[in-house]
Structures are given as C-alpha cells and as structure tokens.
Amino acid sequence: MSNVLLECQAIVKVFPGVRALDGVGLRLTAGSVHALLGENGAGKSTLIKVLTGVHTPNSGRLTWCGDEVHLRSPLEATRTGIGVVHQERNLIPGFSVAENITLQSPPSHRGLIDRAAMTAPALTCLGELGLDIDPDQPVRELSVAQQQLVEIAKALYTESRVLLLDEPTASLSPQEAERLFEVVRRLTARGTCVVFVSHKLEEVFAICDTVTVLRDGRSVLESSPLADHTQDDVVSLMVGRAHSATEMRPREVDTSAAPVLSLDRVSTAAGHRDISLDVRPGEIVGLYGLVGAGRSELVKAVLGLDRVTGGEIRLHGKPARIASPRQALHVFGIGYLTENRKEEGVFLEQPIVRNITVTVWKRLAKAFGFVSSREEQEVSHDLVERLGIRISGLGQNAGELSGGNQQKVSLAKWLAADTRLLIVDEPTVGVDVRTKHAFHELIWELARDGLPILLISSDLAEMITLADRVVVMADHRIRGEVDNDRDYERMSGRIIRIIHDRALSAVGPKAVRA
Amino acid sequence: MPVAPPDGDTNTAEATASRPVHRLPFWVNQRLGLLVLIVSLSALFGVLRPAFLDERLVLFPLLRDISTLTVVALAQMVVLSVGHMNLAVGRMAAFGALFAGFGYDRLGLPLPLGLLLCLFAGAAIGALTGWIITRTGVSSFVVTLAMDFALLGLVSLLYSALTENAAFTTKPSGLAELRSYSLADICVGPVCGSPAVPQLAQFTVLALLGLGFLYACTRIGRELLLTGANPAAAELSGIPTGRRVILAHTLSGLLAALAGFMAAVSTGTFRASIGDDFMLPSFLGAVLGGTLLTGGVVSVLGVLLGTSLVGVIRKGLDLLGVGLESLNIYLGCVLLLALSADRVRTVLSYRKVVRST
C-alpha cells in the first residue's frame, strides 16, 4: 500500500460504562473509497468523531502522511485536511450557498467579510463536483440532496484530502444517490480518500474498494480489499455469526373480517384527496411511496393533528372524529410509531421507564393521580425483556441507548398501552441488520396475534417481507394497490411501475418535495 | 429514583459481555452539595459573628424571607418544568396581594377568605397567561414579559384608584400573629417549638409537600415533565400538552400569589411594590437546586436548598458588615463558585467512572 493519508492504530475511547472503541485500526489511502461498516453501537460514530477531532482518544496513535498528529478540535482536523459530512445537515439555512461553502474561513478584507470574493471559490468547488447551483441562493431553498452536495463542496473548500460521509444516502432517492456516487468517483480521481459509512450493502459493494468492519468497538476486519469478500461475509462479520435471512412463516389473514380502520374517500387540509383504505384484524397493510408522497401526513390527519376536510374515518365500523393523538390513544386505541425517533419518538433526556410507561399512566393512576413506581417498573421490565432492549437499568436515559434500542423503547410504549391498531412509520430506518430483522419478526408476531398494522415504509424489501397488501401512494393520492405474493422481483416491478406511471405525468417543480 | 432491575439485558447473547451498570457516586448529588454548603457557611458565619445564630433577631426573619422566596422559586420551577418561563412572577404576586388587601379593606373578609381570594386571583391570571401561550404559540418569555408590564400598570392603577396612600392597611384579625408568631408559640404541654421557625413557613411546607407529591408520584407531574422534555413526542404519546402548559402557568400564578400574600404579611401592608425583587431570586433558587432551564427536570427539595443558600449568604455577609453594593459582588462570586463546584464534581466523577470502565 502506498499513499497512506491517515492511519490510526489501537484507538481506545472510553465513555462511562462503555468502551466505545477498543483497539481500532484503520488505514486510508489516497484515491480510494473506504467502507466503514458495523451495526448500530459498533463504534462507527465514535470513530468518526475521533477522526474529526470531536473526541480525543484515551490511547492509540493517529498518523497523517506518516507523522503523528493529535486532533484536539474539529478545527484542527479541518486544517489537517479531514472533512466530514454528517448524517444531519449542518448548513445554515438562511445563508447563501457561497457563504456556507466558505463558512470555515471566509475571504476577508481588513477584517470584514468580503462577500463578492466568496463567489469565485464557491463556484470552483461546485464546478469540481460538476454541480450547477447558484452560489447566491439561500441554502434553505435547496433540496436535501443538493444540500448534501453543498456540504461536500464545503469540505473541498477546506482542501480535505480525507472526506468522511456518514450515511450519505439515507435520505436520497436512487437517482440522487447515483449522482452522489459520481461525485465520489470524481473526488477519488483527484486523489481524495472518501470514507463511506452506510447500512446499504448494495451501495457499499457498488462503490467502495476497501473495507473496515467494526463490531463492539473492535475492528474485526481492517482496511481489507473489498473484492476479497462477499456481502454474506461482511454481514456475518458485522453481526458476529452467520446471518440467515429467514423467511417469514405463513400467516392467515381473514379477509372477510370487518376492518378495524377504514378511510372512506378522505381528504385533508394537507392536500390528500379521496383516500380509501381498510386495515383488518391481523393484517399488515403497507403504505408505500417515495419521500414526500404524503404518507406520514395522512397519519397525522388520522391522529387529529391535521384537519380532515372530507370523507369519513371509521374505527371498528363506527364513524370516528379524532381530535387529538390523546383521543386516538385513549379512546380509539391507536398507537403511532413515528419515523422521527429523536424529535417525536423518545424523550432522550428522560429515564427509559418514563419513556415506556407514558402511555399507561392514565391506567395505572389511583386516587389523586398517584402512580406507583413499582408498577411502572414491572410494566417496563416485562417489555424490555420481551423486546430484548439492551439497557444498563430502567433509570438510564433513553438518549444513552443505540438507535435500534431507542426505536424499541419507542415501540414498547405502544405495546404497554395494548393498542388495538398500530401504525408504524419507517420502523427500521438507520437500524442495523440484526435489529431490523428482529423488528420484522416482532411486527409479524404482533399481526399474527391479531393486531391490525398499517406499515409505512420507503424500503421495498421491508414492504415485501411484511405487508399482506401494498397500497401505493404518490402526490397525496392513492395510485394503486397490489396483493403481496412475496416474490420480490415481480412485486417491486409492479409497485415501481405504479409510481413511475404517475411520476412521468407529474414532472414539474411541484412534484419535488423535500 | 427508580431502582434498576438486577440485569435488564440478559436475553441477548452478547449483551452480557460489557456495559456494567454505571452509577455516579453519591457525593455528586447536587442537593447534598448545597446542604453541605449551607451548613458549613452557617457554621462559619456563626463563628465569625455569634449573633448570626440568634434565634429571634436573625434566624426568625431569615427563615421568613427564605420561606417567601422558596415559594417564589417554586412558582418559577413549575413553569420551568414544562420548558417555559414566568417573567411575571413578581407582578403576579403583587396582583394576588392586591386582591387580598382589597378583600380585607373593603369587603371585611376574614384572614383565610382573603388568602383564598388572593390565590384565586393568582391562579386566574396564571391560567390566562398559559391560555394565551398555547393559543398563540408565542414563546412564554415574550408573553410573560408582556404580562409583567400589563400587570405593573394595572396593579399601580388599581392601588391609586382604590386607596389613599397606595396601600391597603386594614389588618384582619390574626394577621399580626401570622407575621410574628413562631413555633415557640405552639406548645404541646410543656414542650414548645423553636422560636426561630416562623409560622408563616407552614405555607411553604405545604407548597413543598404538594409539589413534591405532584412531581414524584402522580401522572400529572410526570406529564408536566415530559411536556417540558419534548413537547412533540409528548403530544404524540397522548399527553394533552396544551392543558399541561396551562396547568403549569396556573400553578405558577397561584404560587406567586401565595408568595405575594406572604410578603405582604411579613411587611404588614398590601402595596404595589410587593414582588418587585422576586424575578431573579426565583430563577436563582430553582437553577441552583438543579432544575433545568430547558424543562423536563425539576427538584422541589433543590428549590428549598438553593433559596436557603442564597438567603444564608446574604444574611451572613450583611452581619459581617459588608455594604449592600459589595454584598452583591460577594454573592455573585459565591454563586458562581457554588455552580462551578457542582460542575467540577460532575467532571471528576465522570473521569472516575471512565477510568473504571
């Protein structure tokens, strides 16, 4: 190996109660695309933070082009030549593209920022990425994908020779992702090393050439050529044992049963028109569509957060006027597992026990609203066991858990409340392979026990694994419905055709919604 | 504090490998630190100025002040719990006291009925504030700031319209006793209470117990905290966040009015200037005690301790002959020290836990 840019050896980083990194090694060479893989909680994020100067390792060595370096702050990392594009956008929405790109060292004239001199370097960076974006446009007007590319341009401006991309394709459409890969190829052609963190193995194998796999804070595979491995190899390294994609056991759905939830030509203030949909006991109905199709908004309307302007929502056969999520839960027994775990799902700074029992306090409360903490503990403890949530104690804050475990906590509160209808929205986004599989099993079992489930997902494989029927939505309308025959090729073809037919006729500025 | 089950993660094979339960050592507890500070400072002042420990002349008024300011800080804590603020605590206190004074002076109400009227007025103005906040979605900072100005004008206007000297001076029977009686005036047989503890403190004790029960044991208390921790998640989890916000502001108004009544009883007159100096101590007491400004975490006991610490420092420095201006400088320094000592403790214990991992 030649041209080693950044190398780390035996990196150890300890947090209270956990050795997040326990002897990790990594070698990044110029002009390569390096995959950094591992399940949630394996230490990827911590490693990225060590490489970008956010965390100082407790021990271990970092070398840059052969010389030992100590990165004490993100600024030092940037000056060294390490750039990062985080999963969350870190741009300033009200600033222009040029201002954002040059943010870290804006061109200045006698101590005042020189706006006119920003445009040229910004255009250079955008040009190197092959982007045609107006540098004077405010960033908030750009699409998510464009914003991400601006972040990469920002890294180019600081002359990053190592660029870390953390889950870059999580919120991108396949076309946008392809565009991103082109950019990555351009970068490597100029000798940059790109570190690619992703849960999507297909992408990793399409674009990367070397790979490091982390498991429980250790590098179980270190800077190895990707060509030497198969996807199954890599997955078993990540999981720690051979991974078997088990088929879901057959499950009977009584299609003649009366629907629990039924929407009859519902229109909403959010722009939905004529939505009709039935969910029967024990049935998993998939609601598929691209980001922006209006699926989550439809659910918000069902929960009473948005106004229903026409049609009728029926629950258990009776017309229901749901005014608030509280009524949805306590009167109609509807649980909603949100797609925005951190913003709407869990209370990060609150103990796990409160996160789980929030929905049952009403039931547990005795005279004067007294809630016994022993009963709370019992309810939570049962669910923690049943869902296999990894915690160090019920008093631990939910924010200290890994993403997958947070998601389980978020689900646990609905199971605690014995909901009679469960709506799950993108349940496995950003969740590792094993947790994803466990989640699928769980949803399947809940349905087998008779719970009606409305599943919203942008993950076709997930839809086809779980759903009995797939309802396809685009542009706030229902475009078609497909009975699932569990044949991936045929199903995905049919679903994509339904969306595509409409997408062709709906091309225009309005069709693009972030 | 909830107690962890022996081992919550026994059902996955790898889970048992690492992750020991981490608990911070007991001395990291902020409340304990405050208590130690209060006791050692009291002892220090007592040694330097033995008069500091005089029960009737020093401790009695000190505890009366602390009682009132604790209620003020509780009024602030309740809104902080839902992630809001109440910049109008002082004026709400004045508003409540106005109604009590009016009741005694014009309606000839007996002592308890006047207090009830005062509490009702405070709760009503608090509820109105909360309602405006939930209906308009304007931040509590802005709404309570506006409310502060509105009440400042209204209260002064009413006093000048209703009274001659801008104060109600009629004292119902029992008020003088409430002002100056201590536990020494309550005797069970030959055993009497301490002359240092004012009877006025009964209201503070009631408020502390009530709120302690609310936050530690009840559904509503937990829902208030979760509303403060993450309003969006709370709403989706079935908590009526709007109503909880209104409730928090109502309680805040009620407690502020109680503090106003107590302040009026302490000074002996019902006037517009009551509560003028309530706002900053209200935040100080709550925050020193460990209540988060961002919502979701409160400490009822911490409010008492935080307020007591400030009271002890003030009184002690005062007795040492420190002038008012320099007293505030010292106070600022001590508070900074108290808060950073807390931070130092947290950092130290964090390192300790990391090292043992």
Side-chain angles (χ1 to χ4, degrees):
Chain A
M1 285 273 173
S2 57
N3 295 330
V4 176
L5 285 175
L6 180 67
E7 182 166 12
C8 50
Q9 291 159 342
I11 298 289
V12 175
K13 176 67 195 175
V14 180
F15 296 113
V18 59
R19 293 177 82 85
L21 296 178
D22 197 4
V24 168
L26 184 71
R27 196 166 56 243
L28 303 176
T29 47
S32 70
V33 185
H34 193 107
L36 179 60
L37 302 175
E39 296 195 329
N40 286 342
K44 286 170 303 183
S45 312
T46 313
L47 182 58
I48 289 177
K49 284 182 179 160
V50 165
L51 295 180
T52 52
V54 178
H55 289 328
T56 316
N58 296 67
S59 66
R61 232 169 89 90
L62 273 175
T63 53
W64 177 260
C65 299
D67 304 322
E68 180 156 5
V69 284
H70 297 279
L71 306 172
R72 278 173 295 254
S73 71
L75 189 62
E76 278 184 37
T78 310
R79 288 202 178 130
T80 308
I82 302 170
V84 62
V85 177
H86 289 286
Q87 219 172 323
E88 301 85 20
R89 300 282 76 82
N90 283 309
L91 298 172
I92 302 175
F95 277 26
S96 73
V97 170
E99 281 171 309
N100 268 292
I101 291 177
T102 58
L103 192 65
Q104 263 148 329
S105 50
S108 60
H109 182 68
R110 289 185 194 164
L112 296 175
I113 288 176
D114 186 352
R115 256 167 232 275
M118 277 179 186
T119 319
L123 276 176
T124 316
C125 295
L126 291 170
E128 280 177 56
L129 299 176
L131 293 179
D132 185 22
I133 301 176
D134 177 9
D136 293 328
Q137 200 177 2
V139 155
R140 79 162 86 77
E141 292 174 8
L142 301 180
S143 73
V144 175
Q146 284 175 318
Q147 291 189 15
Q148 189 166 44
L149 294 170
V150 170
E151 289 213 49
I152 297 177
K154 192 173 156 185
L156 283 189
Y157 178 75
T158 56
E159 289 167 11
S160 302
R161 296 181 62 198
V162 167
L163 180 63
L164 308 163
L165 302 179
D166 190 1
E167 295 273 355
T169 59
S171 49
L172 301 188
S173 72
Q175 291 84 353
E176 289 167 335
E178 192 45 51
R179 167 100 197 203
L180 176 75
F181 297 156
E182 262 170 48
V183 167
V184 168
R185 286 187 200 105
R186 269 170 187 261
L187 289 172
T188 48
R190 355 175 301 164
T192 307
C193 173
V194 177
V195 178
F196 194 80
V197 182
S198 177
H199 279 120
K200 299 180 184 168
L201 288 180
E202 295 80 13
E203 289 175 3
V204 166
F205 276 82
I207 192 168
C208 299
D209 39 42
T210 47
V211 59
T212 293
V213 178
L214 299 184
R215 188 173 79 226
D216 294 335
R218 294 189 178 82
S219 33
V220 286
L221 185 64
E222 204 171 303
S223 313
S224 161
L226 195 59
D228 298 353
H229 305 278
T230 66
Q231 286 202 21
D232 285 346
D233 283 355
V234 172
V235 169
S236 56
L237 278 170
M238 283 161 63
V239 179
R241 56 183 153 76
H243 174 79
S244 57
T246 47
E247 287 271 307
M248 291 296 173
R249 290 168 303 282
R251 178 171 59 87
E252 284 300 309
V253 177
D254 181 5
T255 47
S256 64
V260 173
L261 170 73
S262 98
L263 306 187
D264 187 9
R265 301 177 62 82
V266 165
S267 304
T268 72
H272 300 87
R273 290 287 168 272
D274 288 336
I275 305 277
S276 296
L277 187 73
D278 284 340
V279 189
R280 296 187 177 79
E283 188 182 35
I284 303 177
V285 176
L287 190 55
Y288 182 81
L290 298 179
V291 173
R295 295 161 303 161
S296 304
E297 291 86 341
L298 179 66
V299 172
K300 297 265 161 90
V302 169
L303 293 175
L305 287 171
D306 219 329
R307 217 152 40 83
V308 175
T309 51
E312 195 172 61
I313 297 175
R314 280 192 296 271
L315 277 151
H316 303 282
K318 284 178 219 137
R321 290 197 156 272
I322 304 174
S324 66
R326 185 179 60 90
Q327 216 183 27
L329 170 65
H330 292 302
V331 179
F332 299 103
I334 305 176
Y336 170 56
L337 185 69
T338 166
E339 60 175 334
N340 299 319
R341 185 174 64 230
K342 291 205 163 115
E343 292 80 27
E344 304 175 342
V346 287
F347 301 91
L348 296 171
E349 305 290 321
Q350 296 284 330
I352 289 161
V353 61
R354 276 193 193 149
N355 268 285
I356 296 179
T357 52
V358 52
T359 52
V360 289
W361 288 333
K362 212 174 162 144
R363 194 183 74 208
L364 296 181
K366 302 193 177 59
F368 302 108
F370 179 83
V371 175
S372 138
S373 37
R374 201 177 45 81
E375 278 182 86
E376 278 187 311
Q377 303 272 331
E378 282 169 10
V379 170
S380 316
H381 189 65
D382 288 351
L383 280 161
V384 165
E385 292 234 308
R386 179 169 157 204
L387 302 184
I389 309 176
R390 288 172 61 170
I391 60 172
S392 62
L394 287 173
Q396 194 184 9
N397 280 353
E400 293 170 21
L401 301 178
S402 69
N405 280 312
Q406 284 181 14
Q407 186 73 341
K408 284 182 180 176
V409 167
S410 190
L411 176 65
K413 76 174 163 222
W414 301 118
L415 300 186
D418 289 325
T419 44
R420 283 165 284 154
L421 169 70
L422 192 61
I423 303 173
V424 286
D425 195 350
E426 304 284 5
T428 59
V429 159
V431 161
D432 62 71
V433 180
R434 190 173 44 185
T435 313
K436 190 171 185 168
H437 191 69
F439 243 93
H440 288 170
E441 290 269 358
L442 200 67
I443 291 172
W444 188 263
E445 280 168 21
L446 290 171
R448 188 197 57 206
D449 298 342
L451 188 67
I453 293 171
L454 181 62
L455 168 71
I456 298 174
S457 180
S458 308
D459 183 345
L460 259 184
E462 180 164 273
M463 272 290 159
I464 295 163
T465 309
L466 287 176
D468 299 305
R469 282 185 292 134
V470 179
V471 175
V472 183
M473 202 167 167
D475 207 14
H476 293 69
R477 273 152 224 257
I478 286 181
R479 299 304 189 189
E481 188 178 316
V482 187
D483 274 323
N484 193 354
D485 59 6
R486 316 221 179 263
D487 180 315
Y488 185 82
E489 300 286 310
R490 199 163 50 225
M491 277 298 288
S492 54
R494 288 168 69 186
I495 292 171
I496 288 178
R497 218 168 304 121
I498 293 176
I499 290 190
H500 211 69
D501 284 351
R502 298 294 164 172
L504 284 180
S505 61
V507 170
K510 278 186 80 181
V512 186
R513 274 193 63 195
Chain B
M1 277 289 109
V3 181
D7 195 354
D9 50 8
T10 41
N11 38 2
T12 52
E14 286 163 62
T16 44
S18 60
R19 317 212 168 182
V21 177
H22 80 266
R23 269 209 199 85
L24 296 178
F26 73 93
W27 49 269
V28 176
N29 189 309
Q30 191 173 11
R31 260 70 73 199
L32 203 68
L34 282 175
L35 191 64
V36 169
L37 259 179
I38 293 169
V39 170
S40 46
L41 276 176
S42 306
L44 180 70
F45 289 136
V47 170
L48 293 178
R49 282 280 185 282
F52 183 80
L53 298 178
D54 185 299
E55 291 188 301
R56 281 178 205 282
L57 291 177
V58 179
L59 291 185
F60 180 82
L62 173 62
L63 287 179
R64 204 170 54 184
D65 284 354
I66 290 176
S67 302
T68 309
L69 286 179
T70 299
V71 176
V72 175
L74 287 175
Q76 194 62 255
M77 183 201 77
V78 174
V79 274
L80 287 176
S81 77
V82 292
H84 284 207
M85 293 182 186
N86 185 358
L87 300 184
V89 269
R91 230 58 73 183
M92 287 184 183
F95 186 72
L98 166 75
F99 275 79
F102 181 77
Y104 299 139
D105 198 63
R106 294 296 165 87
L107 310 176
L109 294 178
L111 189 68
L113 277 186
L115 172 60
L116 223 56
L117 184 64
C118 157
L119 295 182
F120 183 78
I125 198 74
L128 175 68
T129 310
W131 183 79
I132 293 173
I133 291 168
T134 44
R135 282 313 289 259
T136 60
V138 177
S139 87
S140 62
F141 184 94
V142 176
V143 173
T144 56
L145 189 64
M147 191 54 88
D148 187 58
F149 278 108
L151 287 179
L152 175 65
L154 183 69
V155 170
S156 321
L157 205 69
L158 286 176
Y159 268 112
S160 52
L162 294 171
T163 65
E164 282 169 21
N165 304 319
F168 292 113
T169 45
T170 311
K171 295 193 180 72
S173 70
L175 191 124
E177 288 79 359
L178 194 58
R179 179 184 178 193
S180 53
Y181 274 23
S182 67
L183 287 189
D185 300 297
I186 301 173
C187 293
V188 182
V191 185
C192 293
S194 158
V197 183
Q199 281 193 19
L200 207 55
Q202 60 183 307
F203 297 114
T204 312
V205 172
L206 273 179
L208 286 168
L209 289 179
L211 289 178
F213 178 74
L214 179 77
Y215 282 106
C217 306
T218 71
R219 168 172 78 98
I220 304 283
R222 285 164 165 78
E223 293 189 349
L224 286 171
L225 291 174
L226 290 202
T227 301
N230 184 343
E235 181 74 32
L236 276 180
S237 304
I239 296 175
T241 51
R243 273 195 254 158
R244 292 297 167 262
V245 165
I246 294 178
L247 175 70
H249 281 275
T250 309
L251 278 177
S252 181
L254 184 129
L255 288 164
L258 175 61
F261 175 82
M262 291 167 72
V265 169
S266 304
T267 57
T269 47
F270 292 84
R271 62 173 73 241
S273 63
I274 280 171
D276 269 353
D277 49 357
F278 274 3
M279 205 230 316
L280 288 179
S282 75
F283 282 102
L284 210 54
V287 172
L288 266 179
T291 296
L292 286 190
L293 284 175
T294 44
V297 176
V298 298
S299 168
V300 175
L301 191 61
V303 165
L304 174 66
L305 293 174
T307 311
S308 303
L309 178 63
V310 178
V312 165
I313 293 172
R314 265 188 185 284
K315 193 60 138 189
L317 291 181
D318 189 26
L319 279 184
L320 287 179
V322 179
L324 187 66
E325 292 82 8
S326 31
L327 187 144
N328 280 332
I329 299 177
Y330 284 114
L331 191 66
C333 293
V334 173
L335 291 177
L336 210 55
L337 215 68
L339 285 172
S340 41
D342 190 63
R343 176 72 192 145
V344 168
R345 263 183 284 123
T346 316
V347 170
L348 283 181
S349 67
Y350 176 88
R351 291 213 185 124
K352 196 171 158 193
V353 178
V354 164
R355 236 176 284 128
S356 66
T357 301

